[in-house]
Amino acid sequence: MSVTTCQGLGFVVSLLGIAGVIAATCMDQWSTQDLYNNPVTAVFNYQGLWRSCVRESSGFTECRGYFTLLGLPAMLQAVRALMIVGIVLSVIGLLVAIFALKCIRMGNMDDSAKAKMTLTSGIMFIIAGLCAIAGVSVFANMLVTNFWMSTASMFTSMGGMVQTVQTRYTFGAALFVGWVAGGLTLIGGVLMCIACRGLAPEETNYKAVSYHASGHNVAYRPGGFKASSGFESNTRNKKIYDGGARTEDEGQSPPSKYDYV
């Protein structure tokens, strides 16, 4: 799979996931009334993150919003926060991913900058997908707990023969939409991170060597190719090599053919 194809596929999949996360957050059917013991009813209840609705048999539907914040369960507020964080991160990642597409050129933007932007958007998509999946899973766990608690309290102490009337709620359509949308956003983020490796320029193995021009105060001597500045003393300490007197410059000079005679 080419880099452009992987990046484009990740962008499209993430876009579908973002749309699904927004739709799931706005849907009212997060929990629906369980009709297992009462299949024929004149009133059907279902609840969402922002309001609860009642649908009558005549087709009339009435919804009432949650006009309180502190009175709501803590788990419901946590689910709200996770879904909102997922939407915000996914939208920001989508804007970054648009400018990071390889088919879009803006000014002098090089491939290394596009690779960093692609990686950033991919990480945002992954975090947004995890937030959406976590929010839906927390709500589903709360529904399962309440369902079995309601089932246990439906029977009185009279031998379990008298059944009380109590509304139980089960999974709504918004939960499945949220799970699928979170998974798509997560997969799109992984594809964007994979495409980042192909956009990054390959590093060369050759090391550059810089050359500097000689200064004005450097003098070259044919003896040992050693440079000396104008502030350096002209006197040299003499050293004895093999019984002969040689200066330090002569000791560092390269060997000649007369040295081997």
Side-chain angles (χ1 to χ4, degrees):
M1 184 183 296
S2 62
V3 178
T4 306
T5 305
C6 184
Q7 188 184 35
L9 183 60
F11 179 80
V12 173
V13 172
S14 301
L15 182 61
L16 295 176
I18 294 169
V21 171
I22 296 175
T25 306
C26 298
M27 290 177 65
D28 296 326
Q29 294 185 353
W30 278 70
S31 60
T32 58
Q33 183 179 355
D34 183 33
L35 301 178
Y36 177 74
N37 293 326
N38 190 12
V40 179
T41 180
V43 178
F44 180 73
N45 299 319
Y46 55 94
Q47 298 175 351
L49 296 179
W50 313 102
R51 60 181 183 175
S52 60
C53 300
V54 177
R55 186 177 64 200
E56 299 179 357
S57 58
S58 60
F60 178 75
T61 303
E62 181 182 1
C63 296
R64 185 174 184 271
Y66 303 138
F67 298 108
T68 179
L69 182 62
L70 300 178
L72 295 175
M75 299 298 290
L76 181 61
Q77 297 182 6
V79 173
R80 281 182 173 183
L82 286 173
M83 299 303 291
I84 291 176
V85 169
I87 292 175
V88 172
L89 287 178
S90 59
V91 170
I92 296 176
L94 182 64
L95 295 177
V96 176
I98 292 176
F99 297 104
L101 291 176
K102 194 174 182 180
C103 57
I104 297 178
R105 291 292 180 182
M106 295 186 60
N108 296 326
M109 184 179 297
D110 54 355
D111 291 339
S112 61
K114 284 184 174 292
K116 294 178 181 178
M117 294 175 66
T118 303
L119 180 61
T120 302
S121 61
I123 294 175
M124 287 185 177
F125 288 149
I126 291 175
I127 298 176
L130 292 177
C131 288
I133 294 174
V136 176
S137 300
V138 168
F139 194 90
N141 181 64
M142 183 174 58
L143 277 180
V144 172
T145 304
N146 294 334
F147 181 86
W148 291 112
M149 290 179 62
S150 300
T151 302
S153 62
M154 284 179 64
F155 297 94
T156 61
S157 60
M158 298 176 60
M161 299 301 296
V162 179
Q163 185 173 352
T164 60
V165 179
Q166 188 173 1
T167 304
R168 296 184 303 178
Y169 291 92
T170 184
F171 293 170
L175 295 181
F176 303 100
V177 175
W179 272 319
V180 174
L184 290 176
T185 308
L186 181 62
I187 294 174
V190 172
L191 291 176
M192 295 293 285
C193 292
I194 294 175
C196 168
R197 299 183 59 184
L199 290 174
E202 297 182 357
E203 296 182 357
T204 179
N205 295 327
Y206 298 99
K207 297 182 179 180
V209 180
S210 59
Y211 297 92
H212 300 279
S214 60
H216 297 286
N217 57 346
V218 178
Y220 294 95
R221 296 184 179 181
F225 301 97
K226 184 176 180 181
S228 60
S229 60
F231 300 98
E232 188 176 1
S233 175
N234 293 327
T235 60
R236 300 290 182 180
N237 295 326
K238 293 185 178 181
K239 297 182 180 180
I240 306 300
Y241 296 96
D242 298 332
R246 295 185 181 179
T247 62
E248 185 178 357
D249 291 338
E250 293 176 354
Q252 295 181 355
S253 61
S256 62
K257 63 179 180 179
Y258 300 103
D259 295 337
Y260 298 96
V261 178

